[in-house]
Amino acid sequence: EQFILKSLVGEEADFLRDMLLTYFEHVSKHPQTLLPRYCGLYAVAEKGRETVISVEVNAFSSQCPIHERYDLKGSVIGRMTREDVKARDAGHVILKDLDLTRQLPLGDTSRTLLLHQLKHDCQFLENLEIVDYSLLLGVHHPRSHRDSKQQ
């Protein structure tokens, strides 16, 4: 669960290769970035067919269990998870913007750091003319974690 493998189409792989130096500079300058953490890009050939695979750190890999997962795009169009999807995979479903119906408490310092990093990451994406991106959010319920450890 520490890494995620993704297959990429040709254009995606080319774009990733082209932006790699700029990406590395951004991640080096902003070590708390919320952007994906790329670990590798591989081409695998089998029977004359090539597949390009990226390896990323799993954003939801944590020492604490993640109880809720969200893919936030800042939009309302089509941004609610269907009830049948929620019911089918309740523990691991990735929810959308309109499924987040409450405020999540952040202290002032955490809020300031988060907004500061979001500003830098969005500027980076804007400079690369990337317009379709989202924020992955994992929510841990400390009481649930404590309760399961005591059992």
Side-chain angles (χ1 to χ4, degrees):
E1 289 187 16
Q2 189 175 359
F3 298 100
I4 294 176
L5 303 179
K6 289 185 179 178
S7 61
L8 304 176
V9 296
E11 302 85 38
E12 293 172 322
D14 292 343
F15 183 76
L16 185 56
R17 269 191 296 269
D18 291 345
M19 68 160 239
L20 193 56
L21 179 59
T22 308
Y23 168 82
F24 178 76
E25 289 169 351
H26 178 79
V27 172
S28 297
K29 186 175 179 181
H30 303 283
Q32 300 303 315
T33 184
L34 301 170
L35 296 175
R37 300 283 182 158
Y38 293 104
C39 303
L41 185 64
Y42 301 91
V44 179
E46 182 180 20
K47 298 180 183 176
R49 187 172 165 204
E50 183 179 270
T51 303
V52 178
I53 299 170
S54 72
V55 180
E56 301 174 22
V57 172
N58 182 353
F60 294 127
S61 179
S62 171
Q63 292 179 349
C64 298
I66 303 297
H67 298 99
E68 299 172 53
R69 295 162 178 79
Y70 294 90
D71 175 5
L72 305 174
K73 288 190 176 281
S75 175
V76 295
I77 300 170
R79 300 303 300 162
M80 181 173 278
T81 308
R82 291 188 338 254
E83 290 302 321
D84 62 312
V85 173
K86 289 180 189 178
R88 184 174 1 123
D89 196 13
H92 291 86
V93 67
I94 297 181
L95 302 168
K96 299 178 182 179
D97 298 63
L98 294 176
D99 299 312
L100 183 58
T101 57
R102 68 186 192 288
Q103 289 187 355
L104 300 174
L106 285 178
D108 289 340
T109 302
S110 295
R111 181 182 185 279
T112 299
L113 291 172
L114 175 64
L115 292 174
H116 182 76
Q117 190 59 57
L118 283 170
K119 177 182 172 185
H120 288 293
D121 289 347
C122 288
Q123 183 64 55
F124 171 78
L125 296 170
E126 184 179 321
N127 290 344
L128 291 173
E129 299 180 356
I130 298 173
V131 294
D132 184 17
Y133 53 88
S134 57
L135 175 68
L136 294 178
L137 171 68
V139 179
H140 166 70
H141 300 280
R143 282 195 197 103
S144 299
H145 184 58
R146 246 184 275 124
D147 294 344
S148 65
K149 277 187 160 183
Q150 291 174 356
Q151 292 178 357

